């Protein structure tokens, strides 16, 4: 049992450290890895991921505030509010498919396929982004709508939205990879908080096996502290390289999860 606790603490720590550095949040790492282990049901994985990522985001934002790191509060706030709305819808559809229809394996395959496709597009974009035009959206309704889309995909996929946020911020708001990562964490904080509040006011946590939060939340806190200290010392190029490497690893894990889940059906 001690080895299992150490393993899950390490997952929370590594995912949160990388998430804080590259704006990934950590959920996009935690979700596929916990799918790979298969110790918990999908709804429980979603809660474990959300709580760990929220703890990371909280610490990261506190540390970054003290370091006076720039956050575009207007743009990120509209994206965050939109992501909360979209998150409610995405979570409701997830609950319908995974819980009400009782097809967790099929849901897991759908999540992995969609996530792999999105991450592949994001990976290609960051490899080619220096040759692509970026935009500077100012229309608040458009920003809010983008937030809804990001929130919907993040909640349904159970990933917290980090890579999607970073790509959108770079492409649609002309942010550097480093600044997009910081603003992504700001958005993730509110989206994960709202996701957990939604569970509290609907089903509650009674049906979830959350014992691993005893070690994953401390891992998230420590990872947020370490990552937020590291990111201020890195260049945009270094942050982008870390982002791309992590995305590639997650794509490979998802391919394996898809193949394994398909054999189970």
């Amino acid at each position: 049992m001690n080895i299992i606790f150490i393993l899950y603490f390490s997952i929370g720590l590594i995912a949160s450290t990388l998430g804080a550095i590259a704006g990934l949040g950590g959920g996009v790492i935690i979700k596929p890895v916990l799918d790979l282990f298969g110790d918990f049901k999908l709804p429980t994985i979603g809660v474990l991921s959300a709580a760990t990522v929220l703890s990371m985001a909280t610490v990261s934002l506190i540390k970054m505030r003290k370091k006076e790191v720039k956050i575009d509060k207007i743009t990120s706030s509209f994206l965050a509010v939109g992501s909360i709305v979209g998150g409610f819808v995405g979570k409701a559809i997830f609950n319908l498919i995974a819980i009400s229809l009782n097809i967790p394996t099929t849901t897991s395959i759908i999540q992995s396929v969609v996530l792999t496709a999105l991450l592949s597009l994001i990976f290609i974009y960051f490899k080619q982004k220096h040759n692509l035009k970026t935009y500077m959206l100012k229309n608040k309704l458009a920003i809010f709508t983008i937030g809804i889309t990001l929130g919907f995909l993040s909640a349904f996929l159970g990933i917290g939205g980090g890579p999607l946020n970073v790509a959108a911020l770079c492409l649609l708001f002309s942010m550097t990879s480093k600044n997009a990562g910081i603003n992504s964490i700001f958005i993730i904080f509110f989206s994960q908080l709202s996701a957990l509040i939604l569970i509290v006011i609907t089903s509650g946590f009674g049906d979830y096996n959350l014992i691993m939060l005893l070690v994953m939340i401390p891992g998230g806190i420590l990872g947020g502290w370490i990552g937020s200290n590291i990111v201020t010392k890195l260049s945009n190029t270094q942050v982008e390289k870390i982002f791309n490497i992590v995305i590639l690893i997650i794509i490979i894990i998802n391919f394996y999860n898809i193949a394994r889940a398909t054999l189970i059906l």
Side-chain angles (χ1 to χ4, degrees):
M1 180 61 74
N2 289 335
I3 295 176
I4 294 177
F5 279 120
I6 293 173
L7 175 62
Y8 276 82
F9 171 80
S10 300
I11 292 171
L13 174 63
I14 294 171
S16 298
T17 301
L18 293 172
I21 291 173
L24 293 164
V28 72
I29 302 172
I30 294 171
K31 168 65 170 56
V33 171
L34 295 195
D35 279 346
L36 180 65
F37 290 160
D39 294 330
F40 299 99
K41 296 179 179 179
L42 278 179
T44 297
I45 290 174
V47 176
L48 292 174
S49 175
T52 305
V53 172
L54 179 63
S55 65
M56 177 280 298
T58 302
V59 173
S60 295
L61 290 175
I62 292 173
K63 291 287 293 181
M64 289 174 186
R65 184 178 180 182
K66 292 180 179 179
K67 294 179 181 295
E68 297 182 353
V69 178
K70 182 181 178 182
I71 294 178
D72 187 339
K73 292 185 178 179
I74 295 177
T75 297
S76 293
S77 293
F78 273 90
L79 287 172
V81 174
S83 71
I84 291 171
V85 175
F88 285 152
V89 178
K91 196 66 178 177
I93 293 177
F94 169 81
N95 289 339
L96 173 64
I97 297 175
I99 300 175
S100 300
L101 299 181
N102 195 27
I103 48 173
T105 302
T106 302
T107 305
S108 179
I109 293 174
I110 293 171
Q111 285 181 318
S112 295
V113 169
V114 174
L115 180 57
T116 301
L118 289 173
L119 292 180
S120 298
L121 290 173
I122 290 171
F123 182 80
I124 294 170
Y125 164 70
F126 273 97
K127 284 295 184 180
Q128 300 295 325
K129 79 182 187 75
H130 299 296
N131 300 319
L132 300 174
K133 179 182 178 181
T134 60
Y135 302 88
M136 183 65 75
L137 294 184
K138 296 293 185 181
N139 185 286
K140 292 181 174 57
L141 179 59
I143 297 172
F144 177 73
T145 303
I146 292 167
I148 291 176
T149 304
L150 294 174
F152 172 82
L153 290 170
S154 302
F156 179 75
L157 298 175
I159 62 169
L164 306 179
N165 295 340
V166 173
L169 289 167
C170 289
L171 175 62
L172 302 177
F173 303 97
S174 297
M175 291 189 185
T176 63
S177 298
K178 185 173 180 178
N179 210 34
I182 294 165
N183 282 270
S184 173
I185 292 174
F186 178 82
I187 298 167
I188 287 169
F189 171 83
F190 291 101
S191 64
Q192 296 307 285
L193 179 62
S194 65
L196 293 174
I197 291 175
L198 179 62
I199 295 174
V200 170
I201 62 179
T202 53
S203 62
F205 295 109
D207 295 331
Y208 296 89
N209 179 6
L210 302 177
I211 188 166
M212 288 303 163
L213 285 183
L214 294 174
V215 291
M216 292 188 74
I217 286 179
I221 292 171
L222 182 58
W225 184 82
I226 295 173
S228 58
N229 277 304
I230 292 175
V231 70
T232 56
K233 301 174 184 177
L234 299 178
S235 67
N236 285 311
T237 302
Q238 290 171 322
V239 170
E240 193 169 309
K241 285 182 179 179
I242 293 171
F243 181 92
N244 286 331
I245 291 171
V246 174
I247 291 295
L248 187 58
I249 292 171
I250 297 168
I251 290 172
I252 294 170
I253 293 174
N254 271 292
F255 270 122
Y256 177 80
N257 286 340
I258 293 168
R260 187 180 65 171
T262 302
L263 292 174
I264 293 175
L265 284 179

